[in-house]
Amino acid sequence: MKKILFVFGTLTFLACGSGKNVAEDANVDQAAKYAATITAKELGAHLFTYASDEFAGRDTGEPGQKKAVEYLKNFYVSQNIASAIGGDDYFQDVPSEWLNKNARRGKFNDSENVVAFLKGTEKPDEIVVISAHLDHVGERNGEIYNGADDDGSGTVAMLEIAEAFKMAADAGKGPKRSILFLHVTGEEKGLLGSKYYTENPIFPLANTVCDLNIDMIGRIDDRHKEDPNYVYLIGADKLSTELHTLSEAINAKYTNINLDYKYNDENDPNRFYYRSDHYNFAKHNIPIIFYFNGTHADYHRPTDTPDKINYELLENRAKLVFHTAWEVANKETRIIADKAEPKKEATEE
């Protein structure tokens, strides 16, 4: 009898313990838990390699850019994050013939977008895109343009965001919708990689929920020297009232960044809304957000180096993108594009 009572008591204890763990897990803010894995230290470790002289400015189709795409592929392989194409092929080939036909100037070798994918648990056919351009302008007059902020910062932020989502998925907390991690080539040559993707989508554009595009989030511009905790948001309200509202609510809950809408003004002469890869999605009525720190003295100069990045700011801005993607990917209903199609004006560099 004592033996029977002991076994019963042990099973009861284990059952209670298991229930307690489930209850505790239910009370944990899962988004905050995995966002905490995005760190300034890891962002810096990536960027000091990705924006090093070894990559020679990552010019479209050149050997430095080939090293860059291999770096990105190897990261996704190491994290066991799948290719969006299948197998071990993480490259969406962008042929030189197409590049040279669509580029505003110059002649280019074959290039590639890097495409990694995390399948959704409940709505796998609905795709949330997170994008950043992998290229920069290469070498000029014997100097390497490392492009640490433009767009090394967005690129490494994507790597950390992808890793955080994968850790959540491995723990059974994967996103309901699928996420495409899209590193595009040829942005500096006229938004070419994103144009190629939207003309040759891996997943139907009709199934694409939104594009969260990260292009330069590691620095502080002159306008915010006294208040560096900011990021420019562009385009969030252009096609979806719901995406804009969600974005603001998520920031207020988690990251408390000053969301500056200066460049979201239709009359702003810089026209940044038309100048990064999100625009090729917006042209197809896909809601977008463009995250941007503004230009600075090192913009498109060889002095845009990784030692000048503010990694704490980069961390918090990357967390904002992660939290926004998490909410979009996990909400019960797909966000609605309730606004009119934007004007299809020519893109600019």
Side-chain angles (χ1 to χ4, degrees):
M1 177 65 72
K2 288 182 179 180
K3 185 175 181 181
I4 294 172
L5 289 173
F6 173 76
V7 171
F8 177 77
T10 301
L11 291 174
T12 303
F13 173 78
L14 291 173
C16 291
S18 176
K20 182 180 179 182
N21 289 339
V22 170
E24 287 177 350
D25 191 56
N27 291 329
V28 171
D29 185 329
Q30 298 296 326
K33 176 180 177 179
Y34 293 104
T37 68
I38 300 170
T39 67
K41 181 179 179 179
E42 291 186 4
L43 288 161
H46 280 303
L47 193 53
F48 269 90
T49 299
Y50 194 77
S52 67
D53 287 354
E54 179 186 356
F55 290 77
R58 308 186 304 277
D59 201 3
T60 306
E62 296 301 312
Q65 184 249 294
K66 303 300 183 182
K67 289 183 179 181
V69 298
E70 286 294 335
Y71 183 89
L72 299 176
K73 172 186 174 178
N74 290 338
F75 171 81
Y76 287 115
V77 170
S78 74
Q79 298 298 314
N80 200 27
I81 298 172
S83 161
I85 299 170
D88 62 355
D89 184 5
Y90 287 77
F91 300 154
Q92 181 188 39
D93 295 330
V94 185
S96 59
E97 181 181 4
W98 187 93
L99 287 168
N100 294 328
K101 179 181 177 181
N102 287 274
R104 292 190 297 268
R105 65 183 75 90
K107 294 291 183 181
F108 306 102
N109 298 319
D110 293 342
S111 191
E112 47 277 308
N113 295 328
V114 179
V115 287
F117 183 69
L118 194 61
K119 187 175 181 179
T121 58
E122 295 182 17
K123 303 172 187 289
D125 292 335
E126 295 185 14
I127 312 297
V128 177
V129 177
I130 305 176
S131 63
H133 70 88
L134 61 88
D135 64 315
H136 196 51
V137 300
E139 298 183 51
R140 298 176 178 177
N141 300 317
E143 291 187 286
I144 296 174
Y145 287 61
N146 298 99
D149 192 27
D150 186 14
D151 185 27
S153 61
T155 299
V156 301
M158 273 184 63
L159 299 183
E160 282 288 285
I161 290 167
E163 183 179 6
F165 269 112
K166 184 59 165 64
M167 291 175 67
D170 288 346
K173 305 297 181 181
K176 294 178 180 178
R177 293 175 178 83
S178 297
I179 300 178
L180 172 64
F181 303 101
L182 176 63
H183 299 266
V184 291
T185 189
E187 190 271 352
E188 301 287 3
K189 308 302 188 290
L191 317 186
L192 297 181
S194 55
K195 177 179 172 65
Y196 187 83
Y197 178 84
T198 54
E199 290 182 359
N200 304 274
I202 296 171
F203 304 102
L205 294 185
N207 293 1
T208 302
V209 175
C210 71
D211 172 42
L212 305 180
N213 183 49
I214 318 170
D215 192 350
M216 299 174 58
I217 60 165
R219 295 284 296 270
I220 303 165
D221 68 0
D222 289 341
R223 190 165 176 263
H224 293 89
K225 285 185 175 179
E226 302 303 318
D227 180 24
N229 184 36
Y230 78 99
V231 69
Y232 292 108
L233 253 62
I234 302 171
D237 63 347
K238 301 292 188 190
L239 286 165
S240 175
T241 304
E242 186 178 9
L243 181 59
H244 173 72
T245 302
L246 180 153
S247 167
E248 291 208 320
I250 287 298
N251 178 59
K253 181 176 181 179
Y254 290 109
T255 46
N256 295 307
I257 297 171
N258 171 22
L259 304 181
D260 192 326
Y261 295 101
K262 172 182 171 59
Y263 296 129
N264 196 52
D265 186 342
E266 288 286 349
N267 297 315
D268 183 78
N270 294 283
R271 294 167 52 81
F272 286 122
Y273 177 63
Y274 305 97
R275 292 172 57 181
S276 191
D277 293 295
H278 59 275
Y279 184 61
N280 281 315
F281 289 90
K283 287 193 297 185
H284 293 275
N285 269 341
I286 296 168
I288 65 91
I289 301 178
F290 172 24
Y291 301 87
F292 178 52
N293 54 219
T295 58
H296 44 74
D298 300 309
Y299 173 68
H300 276 212
R301 296 185 63 81
T303 48
D304 181 9
T305 50
D307 56 296
K308 295 182 179 179
I309 297 293
N310 185 316
Y311 288 96
E312 286 71 27
L313 282 180
L314 176 55
E315 175 189 313
N316 205 31
R317 291 162 175 170
K319 287 178 176 177
L320 172 60
V321 182
F322 171 81
H323 279 296
T324 305
W326 180 284
E327 184 67 17
V328 171
N330 285 297
K331 69 191 300 292
E332 288 302 316
T333 57
R334 174 176 172 168
I335 59 169
I336 299 170
D338 62 318
K339 293 193 172 183
E341 185 177 2
K343 295 179 181 179
K344 294 184 178 179
E345 302 183 37
T347 55
E348 305 172 22
E349 183 173 347

